[in-house]
């Protein structure tokens, strides 16, 4: 309805839009162990908190960088360096806070890898593609978290599939 993707319509006609809603639906429907159990209200609260943090403090400024430095390039438009500079400041502040959080816990929502960690992957990959990977790797705990995420077998399979698709196979 917002004229954007992602959106998905299932065989039974059920339609869902917004990537986080789609991810949560699929995790529950197919029993992927990426959400805390509903019976663990503290873990669920931490998941909800971490998801809000990702949406409010990371996705928005990182998305602006990706749009300015990546999407506009494909449109033949120049990047607005002022927008990039302001967004980069916000991303730097975000990762400064995340460094403190990740120095005390393994993953963004606590001890266990979850959908919240997955939500970061596309935009962090875009930051690397735009030449801003140093905001991740320059922070010890953030870099270690990122390396753990990227080392997961499912993420490795996804990256391999992306490479094959890009190569036209």
């Amino acid at each position: 309805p917002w004229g954007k993707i992602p959106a998905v319509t299932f065989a039974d006609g059920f339609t869902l839009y917004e990537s986080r809603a789609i991810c949560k639906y699929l995790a529950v429907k197919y029993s992927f162990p990426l959400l805390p159990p509903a019976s663990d209200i503290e873990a669920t609260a931490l998941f909800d908190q971490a998801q809000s943090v990702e949406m409010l403090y990371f996705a928005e400024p990182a998305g602006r960088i990706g749009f300015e430095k990546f999407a506009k390039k494909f449109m033949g438009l120049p990047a607005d360096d002022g927008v990039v500079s302001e967004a980069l400041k916000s991303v730097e502040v975000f990762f400064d806070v995340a460094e403190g959080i990740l120095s005390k816990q393994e993953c963004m929502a606590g001890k266990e890898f979850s959908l919240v960690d997955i939500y970061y992957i596309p935009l962090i990959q875009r930051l690397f593609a735009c030449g801003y990977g140093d905001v991740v790797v320059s922070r010890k705990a953030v870099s270690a978290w990122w390396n753990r995420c990227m080392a997961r077998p499912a993420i490795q399979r996804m990256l391999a599939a992306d490479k094959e698709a890009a190569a036209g196979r």
Side-chain angles (χ1 to χ4, degrees):
W2 304 106
K4 296 182 180 183
I5 54 173
V8 63
T9 299
F10 296 90
D12 63 2
F14 178 64
T15 298
L16 194 58
Y17 55 90
E18 293 301 326
S19 60
R20 288 165 191 82
I22 294 166
C23 288
K24 283 180 94 171
Y25 173 81
L26 293 172
V28 171
K29 182 173 176 93
Y30 296 106
S31 302
F32 296 134
L34 297 170
L35 296 167
S39 60
D40 188 340
I41 61 172
E42 286 85 9
T44 298
L46 290 173
F47 177 91
D48 290 343
Q49 172 183 273
Q51 179 175 260
S52 294
V53 165
E54 184 271 337
M55 290 188 318
L56 295 171
Y57 303 112
F58 175 73
E60 194 278 324
R64 279 190 283 143
I65 293 168
F67 180 76
E68 291 295 329
K69 297 297 262 185
F70 193 82
K72 278 189 169 181
K73 181 178 177 181
F74 288 102
M75 297 176 184
L77 300 171
D80 183 329
D81 291 331
V83 169
V84 172
S85 178
E86 283 303 308
L88 189 56
K89 287 177 191 173
S90 295
V91 168
E92 291 271 1
V93 168
F94 168 81
F95 279 121
D96 287 343
V97 173
E99 178 69 13
I101 292 167
L102 291 168
S103 69
K104 297 177 185 121
Q105 61 191 44
E106 291 290 309
C107 298
M108 287 294 190
K111 296 181 283 186
E112 303 294 327
F113 183 80
S114 73
L115 278 179
V116 172
D117 300 292
I118 292 171
Y119 296 157
Y120 284 92
I121 293 172
L123 284 173
I124 291 179
Q125 286 182 306
R126 188 64 43 87
L127 288 174
F128 276 97
C130 293
Y132 298 108
D134 59 310
V135 299
V136 175
V137 299
S138 65
R139 292 163 175 84
K140 183 179 177 183
V142 170
S143 184
W145 162 78
W146 179 246
N147 289 335
R148 285 190 302 276
C149 290
M150 292 295 96
R152 295 183 66 84
I155 302 302
Q156 287 296 306
R157 287 192 300 274
M158 177 200 68
L159 294 172
D162 285 352
K163 276 186 181 179
E164 285 183 26
R169 295 181 190 157

